[in-house]
Amino acid sequence: EAGVAQSPRYKIIEKRQSVAFWCNPISGHATLYWYQQILGQGPKLLIQFQNNGVVDDSQLPKDRFSAERLKGVDSTLKIQPAKLEDSAVYLCASSLDREYEQYFGPGTRLTVT
Amino acid sequence: GQNIDQPTEMTATEGAIVQINCTYQTSGFNGLFWYQQHAGEAPTFLSYNVLDGLEEKGRFSSFLSRSKGYSYLLLKELQMKDSASYLCAVRDPLGSGGYNKLIFGAGTRLAVHP
């Protein structure tokens, strides 16, 4: 079974620039999550989708972050404009449904200079 | 508030046993997860406890006491490849919108040496 795919793996941008991350969950998984993991900390949930609907975006900085999950499969997370404090690993995870174990992708390491 | 505490770092010797503790205070509780995360890699699932007691899976065991807000992960017969961060996460059913939400601790970095 293929795992969660993410791209790019690494990205370096200057502050105030824009960036987008892509995630392809495990086939058939209804629930998709985006996490932010700052160095030395645990992952923090940014947004959770159930199929193509948002069920929790309470910790998403909506003035600069946006995410979508068209057709309930792939998802993109965008930051516009980026700040220095956005430097982190962005992890995508998926689960069969919201009650089940989450499987994580390899993450995208973002450096904002 | 939500609070999950784990030791920041631990060291142990190859072949030994190590116990990583986790204490939590969350608004709700619907299970506790342990994940392993090697440097630069994604977290991978190790164990899940929702009832009190010990769950054993090979060299790894996890214990939960809901009344004490406490869990531990026990690693036996340590190998060099066990050097990684171990993340404790609580599923809170009282998250936004009423959906289960994983709240992670900062992780415990374990170094296994010969």
Side-chain angles (χ1 to χ4, degrees), chain A residues 58-112:
Chain A
S58 56
Q59 297 192 94
L60 187 75
K62 298 180 187 66
D63 58 334
R64 298 184 300 107
F65 286 62
S66 64
E68 60 182 9
R69 189 182 184 197
L70 298 176
K71 301 180 181 179
V73 182
D74 293 5
S75 177
T76 55
L77 176 70
K78 297 179 182 177
I79 308 175
Q80 180 180 6
K83 292 185 175 180
L84 295 176
E85 59 259 36
D86 298 332
S87 294
V89 175
Y90 290 84
L91 294 164
C92 179
S94 70
S95 60
L96 191 61
D97 206 329
R98 59 183 184 267
E99 298 289 326
Y100 292 83
E101 166 196 341
Q102 296 181 27
Y103 294 84
F104 285 82
T108 297
R109 183 177 298 277
L110 174 67
T111 302
V112 182

Side-chain angles (χ1 to χ4, degrees), chain B residues 12 23 28 60 62 71 102 109:
Chain B
T23 57
F60 293 4
S62 57
S71 173
L102 274 188
R109 196 160 53 247

Side-chain angles (χ1 to χ4, degrees), chain B residues 42-100:
Chain B
T44 55
F45 170 79
L46 289 178
S47 69
Y48 170 62
N49 295 70
V50 66
L51 299 176
D52 290 351
L54 188 68
E55 293 280 343
E56 296 186 79
K57 190 189 289 186
R59 294 190 299 116
F60 293 4
S61 303
S62 57
F63 171 83
L64 175 67
S65 168
R66 288 171 296 170
S67 62
K68 295 181 180 177
Y70 168 70
S71 173
Y72 68 71
L73 180 69
L74 194 71
L75 292 76
K76 304 175 189 173
E77 301 168 18
L78 281 172
Q79 302 175 10
M80 299 296 290
K81 67 178 182 180
D82 297 329
S83 292
S85 285
Y86 291 85
L87 301 167
C88 172
V90 170
R91 189 157 66 184
D92 183 353
L94 301 180
S96 174
Y99 286 86
N100 284 290

